[in-house]
Amino acid sequence: MDQDQVAIIQAHPLGAHLDAARTSFNKIARGPDDLDAVSHEDLQKCGLALFSAFLNHPASRLLSSPTGHSNLSGDILRLISAIASNTIHTNRINPLLHAVLTHSPDAEIWEQVYHAVTESTPPRKATSSFLQTPWRLTTSSVVNSSEKRDQMDKLLSDELGVMYVDVPDFYEAFWGGIPQLETASEAIFQKCTQGTQPLFRQGWTGWPDDAKQDGVLSWLANVIENFLQWAPTYRPTTRRPLAQPDTPLDGSVAKRKLDVGLVDDPKADRAGKYHWSHILVPGELKSNPSEDTASKAHLDIARYVKEVFTAQPTRRFVLAFTLCGSWMRLWEFDRLGGIASEKFNINKDGQHFVSTILGFLWMDYEALGFDPTIIKSEHRQYIEIQWNTRKERLILDGLIRRAHSIVGRATICWKAYLEGDKSRPFVIKDSWQFTERDEEGELLQKATRQGVTNVARHHCHETVRIQARDDDIQANVRRGLDITKASNYRAGRAHKPRHLAVEDISRDSSVGSKRSSSQTSALLPPSKRSRSGSASPTKRGSASPTRPDGEPLPNRIHRRIVLCDYGEPIYKASSRAALLAALEGCIQGHESLYRAGLLHRDISINNLMINKGNKDSSLSSFLIDLDLAIEVNRVEASGAKGITGTRAFIAIGVLMSEDHTFMDDLESFFWVLFWICIHYKGPGQKAEATKFKKWNYLNTEELARDKKGIISDERDFIRTAKRTFTPYYQLLIPWVNRLRRVVFPDGKRWQEKDDTLYSRIRRILRDGQKDPLVIAN
């Protein structure tokens, strides 16, 4: 913003001019932190009211237009028309709404007005915001990041959306099936009230009045020790509380400390060394009851849960608790988010506290959220699958990929082999798909049967079943609990996911995978396809919860795929020439897939693989992960509740809400190569974080603008590459620039589809592999 613009803004302050728009928003949400959870229709109304206010402000007629013609009011008028006709996504105005609601300085608010009205390149056909799949940014969508807390907390909050609290029957759903619990709790609580110095007398003896952390931890350790002394009469346990609030636990990227948790170690103490993989139940302590809020205790416990999910790949869900002053709340987190019980005062309802703690101590591993279909036997883990007419046992031979988020597909992969035959490696992929989506296993099976090349080959797939039921979130994991009865539920929130939604893609690993859930019958929306390559069709049980208007709540189901091809991500290519060759093979796979009628839509550094397992395979490189793929001829919108792509590699047009085509996937291949050249100093060797890490956090319009700035001018592009490519990849600059020329003709986004782009890109990559400088050590 130049000095003239700043002077105009200072001379014409906004004052109370936007108060009516703020009041309008506050009627539908609690504040700016609720912004992303507001429905599209409500955001549309707020946007229209807000821009009408700007249009009537004198500064809009004095400030210049970003187009250089006329003044800003004309741009605001056009934007009002676009909002009213649904030709732009409302996420375009979210940064402005946030600035207005947080009473940012006038200059910052007007800056966001400029961002909102900035014209895009004349568009290809834009998809209606009601048809295009909305986007969610998750913590797993961050690539090559150091995980700074302020950045990750914002991402985690966006990822989780609304965490529903005061869900009725929560305790009964998760504690109700524990044998002897109520009988034992009543007896043990009675013991607590007896004797000359009872543990409980109108409240817990020794409870610190100020509820400070150290005092509460000391009291908690003492009272649980008493419970444990009385509990063996009913059920012995080796679980103990772990209190190391000042010591970071091993196993996280950033140094994360845990207030309190439960571990399976009878000798747990402050001196021991523990890992996030040891934490069965995490807990968060706050001294002030008023901190039982979404931005305080709720976000803090979610931060711990994210670490537990990341460190424990066989976890389907995580139970946790918060204790704010003497008010306790119980939590359950899964791949849809977090839900919580009604809070209770432990000093008034002592028996409820006893039964809660005993439940945590006595629950079996399945009840705590571990996947019972991944079986432990001696020193190994295995799964059993049905293939054709026989049952096969696959031995897990190492974790390939973790899930680094709470919400989303949570793709997890293991390398595996058939029992008795280590010569053939397989990949087991577990993930949680939206129930509306076509099964990835079906798409892979179709591709394999049609002879698609350079795409991971299908062996078998299934919907994971637990206790003879299909494993989903709403009915199995959450036991049919109804979030529409939560105290903070509002219609429109649960059904429409937040607009910014890059689903799980993540860090630096290999293929992908999913998990399972628990009891309760459930009727899921009917699958668009039959269940497995060989297994019988799934049966559905009783109905999952629905919204008050009868629409089903969002739901995810646990899918498992076994693939025949094992590899490593493309950034581990052994040389510069090998990197170009691997990219060429993956583009060939993409074209083969497209010719078979499937569009991939998630090209990223983790979905392009170099063959490392099957020596008999002719594949040198291949594509994986068809979870977001779609049939090319499908007219209706995808059922996915998330963005089609990995944030750093998404094509500019897709960022601007335009239809996703094969041309956009080819552009994503370019961004993959560009990213590798900047963030790796050799095969698989990460470089220091760069300025491009901000691509993990920018909103979509800013990211599109950033990318357009990178590719628009050849001299500037080469200058940027020389400054940012690592020394090892500097020799690829001429070849990356040649790709830029064909992917972005004249430095602009493509305007018409061009099937020849496949062959032109592959020709450049082949020529690059022959370059003596590229080949040289």
Side-chain angles (χ1 to χ4, degrees):
M1 195 168 284
D2 61 32
Q3 291 182 343
D4 291 341
Q5 291 170 312
V6 172
I8 291 170
I9 291 168
Q10 290 175 341
H12 300 82
L14 289 168
H17 199 77
L18 305 179
D19 284 354
R22 291 187 181 104
T23 301
S24 174
F25 179 86
N26 288 331
K27 289 178 181 177
I28 59 172
R30 296 181 178 182
D33 289 341
D34 258 1
L35 186 60
D36 288 337
V38 177
S39 70
H40 169 84
E41 291 86 350
D42 285 338
L43 275 178
Q44 187 181 40
K45 292 175 186 174
C46 288
L48 290 171
L50 183 60
F51 281 103
S52 296
F54 282 118
L55 186 65
N56 293 323
H57 193 278
S60 70
R61 296 182 289 279
L62 298 172
L63 290 167
S64 60
S65 166
T67 64
H69 306 291
S70 187
N71 56 44
L72 185 60
S73 63
D75 301 290
I76 294 174
L77 268 173
R78 281 188 291 275
L79 186 58
I80 289 173
S81 175
I83 294 172
S85 60
N86 284 319
T87 56
I88 67 164
H89 274 304
T90 47
N91 68 346
R92 180 169 172 174
I93 65 172
N94 278 5
L96 171 60
L97 276 169
H98 192 275
V100 169
L101 294 169
T102 55
H103 296 270
S104 296
D106 285 5
E108 290 184 21
I109 291 175
W110 282 107
E111 179 102 30
Q112 290 299 337
V113 173
Y114 270 102
H115 283 319
V117 303
T118 299
E119 293 276 4
S120 64
T121 305
R124 304 157 0 212
K125 177 169 152 268
T127 306
S128 161
S129 60
F130 292 103
L131 294 178
Q132 181 78 341
T133 49
W135 299 7
R136 168 166 301 173
L137 176 59
T138 71
T139 49
S140 74
S141 63
V142 175
V143 287
N144 299 86
S145 169
S146 57
E147 288 205 355
K148 291 186 177 178
R149 176 166 171 172
D150 57 341
Q151 296 168 332
M152 295 306 291
D153 279 359
K154 175 64 171 66
L155 290 182
L156 183 57
S157 179
D158 289 345
E159 170 188 322
L160 287 162
V162 180
M163 290 183 276
Y164 294 103
V165 300
D166 304 321
V167 176
D169 303 320
F170 185 99
Y171 174 87
E172 291 75 11
F174 292 100
W175 273 254
I178 302 173
Q180 297 182 292
L181 179 61
E182 297 311 313
T183 302
S185 300
E186 184 178 356
I188 289 175
F189 181 65
Q190 283 301 315
K191 287 181 179 287
C192 293
T193 62
Q194 295 169 355
T196 55
Q197 294 182 317
L199 279 177
F200 189 94
R201 180 191 295 159
Q202 297 181 335
W204 290 100
T205 305
W207 173 261
D209 292 335
D210 58 5
K212 294 292 186 185
Q213 178 178 271
D214 287 347
V216 171
L217 288 175
S218 177
W219 168 84
L220 194 60
N222 178 63
V223 76
I224 291 178
E225 185 58 37
N226 278 281
F227 295 171
L228 288 167
Q229 288 176 11
W230 295 320
T233 307
Y234 302 93
R235 291 174 61 183
T237 178
T238 56
R239 293 179 195 165
R240 297 293 185 273
L242 176 69
Q244 295 184 342
D246 301 319
T247 305
L249 294 178
D250 291 339
S252 55
V253 176
K255 292 184 176 180
R256 299 270 189 251
K257 302 171 184 176
L258 173 68
D259 283 357
V260 65
L262 288 175
V263 295
D264 195 358
D265 180 3
K267 297 180 180 178
D269 59 32
R270 285 182 178 248
K273 194 72 173 170
Y274 292 90
H275 189 281
W276 283 102
S277 61
H278 297 133
I279 305 302
L280 300 178
V281 178
E284 167 66 13
L285 307 179
K286 298 289 186 188
S287 59
N288 192 335
S290 67
E291 292 186 283
D292 179 30
T293 63
S295 61
K296 300 275 175 100
H298 304 182
L299 183 60
D300 287 342
I301 193 64
R303 192 184 304 119
Y304 301 151
V305 168
K306 173 183 175 289
E307 299 297 343
V308 172
F309 267 128
T310 301
Q312 300 177 25
T314 62
R315 207 72 186 251
R316 298 143 50 214
F317 62 90
V318 175
L319 296 177
F321 68 90
T322 51
L323 189 57
C324 300
S326 60
W327 289 92
M328 191 173 209
R329 198 185 288 279
L330 310 178
W331 289 86
E332 183 274 332
F333 288 87
D334 51 50
R335 301 314 184 176
L336 284 176
I339 61 173
S341 69
E342 297 168 298
K343 62 183 179 181
F344 66 96
N345 191 319
I346 64 172
N347 280 316
K348 291 189 169 28
D349 196 346
Q351 185 171 327
H352 190 13
F353 174 71
V354 173
S355 63
T356 297
I357 296 300
L358 285 182
F360 281 137
L361 295 172
W362 286 354
M363 286 178 187
D364 63 27
Y365 274 78
E366 181 180 339
L368 283 173
F370 289 89
D371 187 345
T373 69
I374 298 175
I375 304 160
K376 265 190 175 180
S377 174
E378 298 175 348
H379 301 296
R380 66 179 188 176
Q381 291 178 300
Y382 64 89
I383 66 166
E384 291 181 336
I385 58 171
Q386 195 74 26
W387 189 69
N388 291 330
T389 57
R390 69 176 186 271
K391 184 177 285 188
E392 294 182 333
R393 179 173 290 184
L394 281 166
I395 310 300
L396 305 192
D397 193 28
L399 185 67
I400 301 172
R401 172 174 176 166
R402 297 180 185 273
H404 291 268
S405 65
I406 297 174
V407 175
R409 286 178 288 162
T411 299
I412 299 174
C413 299
W414 292 269
K415 185 181 178 184
Y417 59 88
L418 285 172
E419 187 173 44
D421 181 11
K422 286 190 173 184
S423 64
R424 262 183 86 198
F426 291 88
V427 171
I428 300 169
K429 173 180 179 178
D430 270 21
S431 58
W432 294 88
Q433 284 187 304
F434 278 114
T435 51
E436 302 93 332
R437 283 198 58 76
D438 292 336
E439 286 191 47
E440 182 189 6
E442 295 287 344
L443 298 179
L444 277 166
Q445 186 177 55
K446 174 183 176 181
T448 300
R449 286 176 174 173
Q450 292 190 18
V452 168
T453 63
N454 295 85
V455 173
R457 293 167 300 163
H458 172 275
H459 179 69
C460 66
H461 69 279
E462 65 181 4
T463 296
V464 173
R465 290 172 66 80
I466 292 178
Q467 297 190 3
R469 297 183 180 95
D470 285 357
D471 189 20
D472 76 321
I473 298 290
Q474 293 289 6
N476 281 358
V477 171
R478 294 184 176 179
R479 276 79 162 165
L481 290 174
D482 189 355
I483 63 167
T484 67
K485 300 293 195 300
S487 63
N488 60 338
Y489 177 84
R490 284 203 302 278
R493 272 176 161 180
H495 185 62
K496 291 182 186 283
R498 303 146 150 309
H499 276 331
L500 249 292
V502 182
E503 289 251 352
D504 331 8
I505 328 115
S506 187
R507 284 135 173 108
D508 302 301
S509 32
S510 225
V511 202
S513 153
K514 257 179 194 173
R515 316 189 234 271
S516 93
S517 247
S518 196
Q519 300 83 274
T520 304
S521 55
L523 188 115
L524 304 174
S527 174
K528 291 191 173 74
R529 304 167 182 271
S530 62
R531 179 180 157 199
S532 160
S534 51
S536 59
T538 56
K539 295 181 180 178
R540 309 295 187 184
S542 60
S544 294
T546 59
R547 298 192 304 156
D549 60 8
E551 287 291 315
L553 291 167
N555 198 9
R556 289 182 181 271
I557 192 163
H558 183 185
R559 310 283 194 200
R560 178 167 291 155
I561 302 171
V562 180
L563 303 169
C564 298
D565 298 293
Y566 164 70
E568 292 181 339
I570 194 169
Y571 56 81
K572 294 187 177 182
S574 59
S575 67
R576 292 180 291 264
L579 173 62
L580 299 182
L583 203 60
E584 180 191 358
C586 290
I587 290 173
Q588 183 175 335
H590 188 279
E591 182 176 17
S592 180
L593 192 67
Y594 184 65
R595 303 299 178 207
L598 297 172
L599 181 63
H600 191 280
R601 305 199 307 168
D602 190 9
I603 301 303
S604 75
I605 57 173
N606 290 318
N607 287 340
L608 312 182
M609 309 299 290
I610 305 162
N611 186 9
K612 288 292 179 184
N614 195 335
K615 295 177 182 177
D616 298 328
S617 173
S618 60
L619 304 181
S620 59
S621 60
F622 56 91
L623 284 175
I624 61 167
D625 198 353
L626 301 191
D627 199 16
L628 294 179
I630 192 171
E631 293 184 5
V632 174
N633 295 325
R634 231 176 101 182
V635 177
E636 72 270 23
S638 158
K641 301 290 195 299
I643 194 172
T644 49
T646 304
R647 196 171 186 81
F649 314 116
I650 300 170
I652 295 168
V654 177
L655 288 169
M656 300 178 76
S657 305
E658 293 169 357
D659 284 343
H660 196 139
T661 75
F662 75 91
M663 298 285 285
D664 297 300
D665 277 4
L666 290 176
E667 180 184 327
S668 292
F669 280 106
F670 169 84
W671 292 118
V672 166
L673 181 58
F674 179 78
W675 188 271
I676 290 172
C677 290
I678 291 170
H679 292 93
Y680 292 88
K681 54 189 178 182
Q685 302 173 44
K686 284 187 191 178
E688 295 298 317
T690 72
K691 68 174 185 177
F692 292 99
K693 70 178 182 180
K694 69 180 181 179
W695 285 10
N696 289 311
Y697 313 106
L698 290 179
N699 68 44
T700 52
E701 291 222 353
E702 290 172 327
L703 182 52
R705 197 157 44 238
D706 236 34
K707 288 187 170 184
K708 285 196 285 186
I710 291 288
I711 52 87
S712 60
D713 182 87
E714 181 162 314
R715 288 173 302 175
D716 290 346
F717 177 79
I718 291 173
R719 189 180 299 115
T720 297
K722 286 181 177 178
R723 190 172 65 249
T724 58
F725 280 23
T726 59
Y728 182 81
Y729 287 116
Q730 286 280 324
L731 294 171
L732 289 185
I733 290 176
W735 300 102
V736 179
N737 186 48
R738 290 189 194 186
L739 287 175
R740 183 195 64 83
R741 289 178 190 164
V742 299
V743 175
F744 305 100
D746 300 321
K748 298 177 182 177
R749 298 192 292 122
W750 64 272
Q751 297 299 310
E752 296 181 0
K753 295 178 185 177
D754 179 7
D755 284 1
T756 68
L757 188 57
Y758 279 112
S759 58
R760 289 189 287 140
I761 289 177
R762 288 204 305 271
R763 189 179 307 117
I764 292 170
L765 294 171
R766 276 197 300 271
D767 291 345
Q769 295 166 53
K770 301 171 189 173
D771 183 346
L773 293 176
V774 171
I775 297 171
N777 291 328

